[in-house]
Amino acid sequence: MTVAVPMRDGATVMLVRDGPHEDRPLEVFMLRRHPNTAFGSVHVFPGGVVDASDHDPTLDHFCPGLDDGDASEQIGLSSGGRAFWVAAVREAFEEAGVLLAGPVTGGYVRFDDSPSVEERFDDHRRALNAGERSFLDVLAAEDLRLTLADVRYVAHWITPEGEPKRFDTRFFLARAPEGQAYAHDDGEIIGSEWVRPDDALRRHRAGDFPLIGPTISSLQDLGRYATSDELFLERSRP
């Protein structure tokens, strides 16, 4: 008798930039998961499970660019859609030290303004990963607003039946803000790097860059674009 594996909602975000390459400089930030995590030691984009806290209505104050109705419509849900955006942003901060948020006046927060700012956000990240602080606590303490309007929804993947763990995952895309950590957490994540999509796929074919299906497909899509401007210009078209 087959036992049904419960499906969990998930969210992941592809953080892209133009790297130091003369030819096709578009890069994406990738993490390598610990062998004991779901799907083993594969390279992935920052992401994880959508938590109950990601649905907290208190987040309305911190998400001026996207309400739940608009978010839900974009991904084909009746409600609860914005939680996928929030989860993608939260997981990027937890796993990679990247926070897609900024002051009320606009822009992105920088961690490199001073050593004290960097230390403060390192402490926020540590406390968040340890369960000592919520994502809402971090946003409130720093008076930040999530830049969800700049996070583009791009794909929907569901883990096939038969896998020991199954996820209903939404994929997002965002420009990588400057002046932040871009460092893995040394917990569930054991490595991180910037890589051009075609280079990642080439290394995968050579056997030294493990990937799973949705990540391969996403990299193939990103590889169609030479620069981040080209990518976002295409994504801005109806």
Side-chain angles (χ1 to χ4, degrees):
M1 175 175 152
T2 303
V3 178
V5 176
M7 190 89 70
R8 304 184 73 184
D9 289 336
T12 190
V13 60
M14 297 177 284
L15 299 164
V16 299
R17 71 174 188 185
D18 289 339
H21 315 280
E22 291 186 7
D23 180 52
R24 305 186 68 81
L26 178 70
E27 295 180 326
V28 62
F29 190 68
M30 299 197 71
L31 307 172
R32 186 162 191 177
R33 294 208 173 278
H34 191 280
N36 293 336
T37 58
F39 308 114
S41 187
V42 295
H43 290 84
V44 296
F45 311 115
V49 173
V50 178
D51 290 340
S53 63
D54 299 322
H55 292 271
D56 192 327
T58 309
L59 283 161
D60 288 348
H61 177 70
F62 300 98
C63 302
L66 185 69
D67 64 30
D68 186 67
D70 289 342
S72 299
E73 183 177 0
Q74 285 189 50
I75 63 176
L77 297 178
S78 58
S79 64
R82 191 181 62 192
F84 287 86
W85 268 261
V86 174
V89 174
R90 175 182 52 75
E91 288 283 351
F93 184 52
E94 291 179 1
E95 293 190 334
V98 180
L99 186 53
L100 298 172
V104 178
T105 51
Y108 289 101
V109 63
R110 296 187 68 108
F111 304 162
D112 61 354
D113 284 342
S114 71
S116 63
V117 172
E118 184 177 18
E119 290 171 9
R120 199 168 69 242
F121 278 94
D122 282 347
D123 182 63
H124 284 317
R125 184 183 178 195
R126 179 204 58 75
L128 184 58
N129 279 318
E132 300 167 359
R133 197 170 300 165
S134 72
F135 195 40
L136 268 172
D137 291 336
V138 175
L139 298 176
E142 299 292 338
D143 195 23
L144 296 175
R145 304 294 182 268
L146 299 183
T147 56
L148 300 187
D150 297 330
V151 180
R152 312 287 179 85
Y153 171 58
V154 294
H156 181 198
W157 288 90
I158 297 176
T159 311
E161 292 184 3
E163 294 288 346
K165 293 184 178 180
R166 299 189 67 206
F167 299 92
D168 184 339
T169 304
R170 311 288 173 153
F171 277 62
F172 297 91
L173 175 70
R175 289 184 187 269
E178 297 179 355
Q180 297 196 17
Y182 296 96
H184 56 279
D185 61 11
D186 281 328
E188 294 184 355
I189 307 299
I190 59 173
S192 59
E193 63 180 286
W194 287 101
V195 62
R196 290 187 293 183
D198 287 347
D199 290 342
L201 292 167
R202 190 177 303 113
R203 290 164 60 186
H204 173 65
R205 290 192 294 270
D208 66 353
F209 202 83
L211 298 167
I212 57 175
T215 313
I216 293 171
S217 182
S218 298
L219 288 168
Q220 290 171 336
D221 184 43
L222 291 178
R224 297 189 295 120
Y225 306 97
T227 67
S228 57
D229 283 346
E230 182 183 325
L231 168 62
F232 280 92
L233 177 63
E234 177 68 23
R235 291 293 177 182
S236 67
R237 292 172 180 157

